[in-house]
Amino acid sequence: MTSNDEFATDLRPSEAPTGVIVNALRWDILNDWVRYLKDDKFPDKTAEMAYLWGFINRDFGGDALRCLWGKHETNYAMFAEAVWLLHREFSEGAGSEHHPLFAGLPPIPADVLFRKIASASAVAFWKLTADQMAQILRTAPQDYAAMR
C-alpha cells in the first residue's frame, strides 16, 4: 500500500465517494455492453434471451456494487444520484457527452440496465434479492429527479 492509499483503508463501503462508484460501474458496464454488441453468438441483439445470456448475466463490479448498495442503506439520495447518472448515460444516451467511447453505441434499454446491475449485485450484496434490487433501481432515477 502506498501512502496515497492509506486514506481509504478505514473506509466502509457506504463511505466511498459516489463519483468513484459511478466511474467504476460506468467502465464495467460499458465494457460488457461493447463485448455484447460485438459477440457473434447473439445475432439478434434485441432478443430477450440474448440480453439475458449475453449481457445481463455477466458478473462485474463487485466492490463498486457493494459500495453502491452501502449508499442505499446509509444515504439514499447519493444512491439515487448514482443510479440516475448511470441511467442517463446508458439508457438516455447522454454518455457521449462525457466520453467519445459512448459515441455510436445504441442505448441500453433501462430495464435491461437495471436487471444487469441487480443480477451482478445479488452476488456482491446478499441482503436483497435480484428482483428486489431491480425494483429499487427502477424507481431511483425518478426519486432523484424529484429531489433535485
Side-chain angles (χ1 to χ4, degrees):
M1 179 182 326
T2 68
S3 60
N4 291 337
D5 296 331
E6 290 177 12
F7 79 94
T9 57
D10 293 332
L11 284 179
R12 293 176 297 179
S14 61
E15 295 171 339
T18 304
V20 172
I21 296 168
V22 170
N23 282 332
L25 293 175
R26 174 185 295 128
W27 297 116
D28 282 345
I29 293 169
L30 182 62
N31 285 332
D32 278 358
W33 185 237
V34 170
R35 277 189 214 124
Y36 170 69
L37 293 173
K38 294 187 180 293
D39 191 343
D40 293 336
K41 287 193 313 190
F42 306 103
D44 182 359
K45 300 298 183 200
T46 61
E48 177 62 25
M49 293 312 290
Y51 281 137
L52 184 64
W53 294 111
F55 182 65
I56 293 171
N57 285 346
R58 282 191 180 157
D59 285 339
F60 75 99
D63 289 336
L65 290 169
R66 277 189 285 285
C67 292
L68 178 69
W69 290 101
K71 290 284 186 212
H72 176 261
E73 291 183 317
T74 61
N75 190 333
Y76 184 77
M78 293 179 93
F79 167 84
E81 179 185 20
V83 175
W84 176 81
L85 285 167
L86 293 169
H87 174 262
R88 188 173 173 277
E89 290 178 355
F90 286 104
S91 298
E92 295 179 356
S96 59
E97 297 171 8
H98 304 290
H99 201 284
L101 289 176
F102 282 90
L105 291 177
I108 302 171
D111 189 58
V112 171
L113 175 66
F114 298 144
R115 287 172 43 210
K116 170 146 184 80
I117 295 170
S119 174
S121 296
V123 175
F125 187 82
W126 302 320
K127 293 182 181 181
L128 299 167
T129 67
D131 290 339
Q132 290 170 318
M133 289 180 195
Q135 187 55 40
I136 292 166
L137 290 163
R138 284 182 191 104
T139 60
Q142 292 84 16
D143 292 348
Y144 179 72
M147 290 182 225
R148 290 178 71 195

